[in-house]
């Protein structure tokens, strides 16, 4: 009798496990649609991708427009969540960032939206002085970086003799170069092109078509296959139907 009871209990346990195993686990995509809100992390200090206007507390930029387009595709409102580069690992949602293996451990990346690489930006008169890492990594050269991101990581990995200064305000960091308080910054080629336009005749991008390394920009997502599949498909369609090019042209062309 005892054996039969134990056998029955085992059957009931296996049946319960089977039922639970068959119940679908809600995806992050389902949660977003049910909630009616897509929460997007924004640093607000990385023109032309994301910028927070302090007077109005409104975000603008390429990533902001892309996030709004994604929200429209999902049929939900977009809520921008302020964050900072050193905190991205802790509280990211879906900001556009450079693809790294450390970030890949924490979440999924969408398909790439942009090919990138680190390259210098300096005062136009000094462009010839900073063509290579060896040219830059000399005593007396003043390299400026923003804290916590791939720019600082790249500088510390490649610069030994030059001085590195961490400047906390990424929105004003290029003005430091223009004013002569720093000699150069190594950042993404797309940003050097944009800042060259903003400081026409003063700051110049150094060989942005031939950066020092290779990287890609993508959207960093919570680890949810359904969400990634949707975002990837949305990006694919956007790149084919011209909507991505329209947003890109508004900020980079």
């Amino acid at each position: 009798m005892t054996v039969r009871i134990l056998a029955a209990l085992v059957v009931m346990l296996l049946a319960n496990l089977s039922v639970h195993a068959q119940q679908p686990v809600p995806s992050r995509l389902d949660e977003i649609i049910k909630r009616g809100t897509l929460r997007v992390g924004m640093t607000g200090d990385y023109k032309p991708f994301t910028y927070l206007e302090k007077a109005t507390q409104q975000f603008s930029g390429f990533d902001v427009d892309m996030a709004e387009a994604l929200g429209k595709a999902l049929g939900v409102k977009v809520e921008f969540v302020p964050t900072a580069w050193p905190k991205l690992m802790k509280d990211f949602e879906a900001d556009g960032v450079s693809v790294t293996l450390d970030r890949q451990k924490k979440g999924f990346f969408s398909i790439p939206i942009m090919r990138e690489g680190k390259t210098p930006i300096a005062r136009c008169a000094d462009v010839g002085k900073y063509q290579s890492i060896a040219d830059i990594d000399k005593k007396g050269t003043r390299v400026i970086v923003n804290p916590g991101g791939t720019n600082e990581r790249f500088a510390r990995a490649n610069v030994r003799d030059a001085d590195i200064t961490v400047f906390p305000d990424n929105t004003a960091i290029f003005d430091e170069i223009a004013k002569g308080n720093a000699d150069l910054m190594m950042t993404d080629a797309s940003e050097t092109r944009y800042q060259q336009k903003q400081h026409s005749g003063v700051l110049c991008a150094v060989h942005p078509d031939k950066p020092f390394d290779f990287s890609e920009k993508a959207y960093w997502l919570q680890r949810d296959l359904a969400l990634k599949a949707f975002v990837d498909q949305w990006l694919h369609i956007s790149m084919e139907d011209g909507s991505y090019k329209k947003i890109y042209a508004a900020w980079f062309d």
Side-chain angles (χ1 to χ4, degrees):
M1 182 66 69
T2 302
V3 173
R4 290 181 180 179
I5 293 174
L6 289 175
L9 288 173
V10 170
V11 170
M12 290 174 61
L13 178 60
L14 290 174
N16 287 333
L17 289 173
S18 177
V19 169
H20 287 299
Q22 292 174 9
Q23 291 178 348
V25 178
S27 72
R28 183 59 65 101
L29 177 63
D30 293 333
E31 291 177 10
I32 290 169
I33 294 173
K34 182 178 180 180
R35 186 174 64 226
T37 305
L38 173 67
R39 294 180 297 188
V40 183
M42 287 278 164
T43 62
D45 64 351
Y46 186 30
K47 292 182 177 181
F49 294 95
T50 167
Y51 179 69
L52 177 63
E53 182 60 57
K54 295 181 180 179
T56 62
Q57 289 298 295
Q58 296 294 312
F59 285 98
S60 63
F62 172 80
D63 281 338
V64 176
D65 290 350
M66 290 293 287
E68 293 287 2
L70 175 57
K72 184 177 180 180
L74 285 164
V76 300
K77 294 181 180 180
V78 178
E79 175 188 348
F80 295 110
V81 181
T83 185
W85 295 108
K87 296 170 58 183
L88 279 179
M89 284 287 197
K90 182 178 179 181
D91 60 9
F92 86 91
E93 289 293 335
D95 197 12
V97 296
S98 300
V99 177
T100 69
L101 294 179
D102 282 344
R103 290 169 180 167
Q104 183 75 54
K105 295 175 185 176
K106 300 293 183 179
F108 289 153
F109 279 107
S110 70
I111 60 174
I113 62 168
M114 202 175 295
R115 185 184 177 97
E116 282 283 22
K118 300 300 182 188
T119 202
I121 182 168
R123 290 180 294 279
C124 293
D126 295 335
V127 166
K129 295 169 58 177
Y130 305 122
Q131 293 292 307
S132 67
I133 295 291
D135 292 337
I136 294 169
D137 193 19
K138 294 179 179 178
K139 292 187 181 299
T141 301
R142 298 168 301 167
V143 177
I144 194 167
V145 299
N146 57 310
T150 57
N151 291 338
E152 181 180 6
R153 184 180 302 179
F154 181 84
R156 295 197 183 281
N158 291 278
V159 172
R160 296 289 182 269
D161 295 326
D163 296 324
I164 297 177
T165 298
V166 178
F167 190 77
D169 187 356
N170 204 35
T171 63
I173 197 168
F174 297 96
D175 294 332
E176 291 296 296
I177 304 172
K179 291 186 293 188
N181 295 333
D183 295 316
L184 64 99
M185 178 178 179
M186 292 180 286
T187 186
D188 295 333
S190 59
E191 187 176 24
T192 66
R193 290 190 182 97
Y194 176 79
Q195 290 297 336
Q196 177 177 256
K197 291 181 179 180
Q198 305 309 304
H199 300 81
S200 180
V202 179
L203 299 183
C204 288
V206 183
H207 51 62
D209 295 328
K210 297 180 179 179
F212 292 141
D213 66 352
F214 162 79
S215 65
E216 292 176 321
K217 274 191 170 55
Y219 290 117
W220 200 17
L221 313 169
Q222 293 289 346
R223 195 178 291 177
D224 182 84
L225 289 173
L227 178 60
K228 174 174 167 53
F230 185 94
V231 172
D232 285 348
Q233 185 63 26
W234 163 72
L235 282 172
H236 173 69
I237 293 172
S238 299
M239 291 175 178
E240 292 296 326
D241 68 9
S243 54
Y244 173 86
K245 291 180 180 179
K246 185 177 179 180
I247 295 175
Y248 182 93
W251 293 99
F252 293 98
D253 291 347

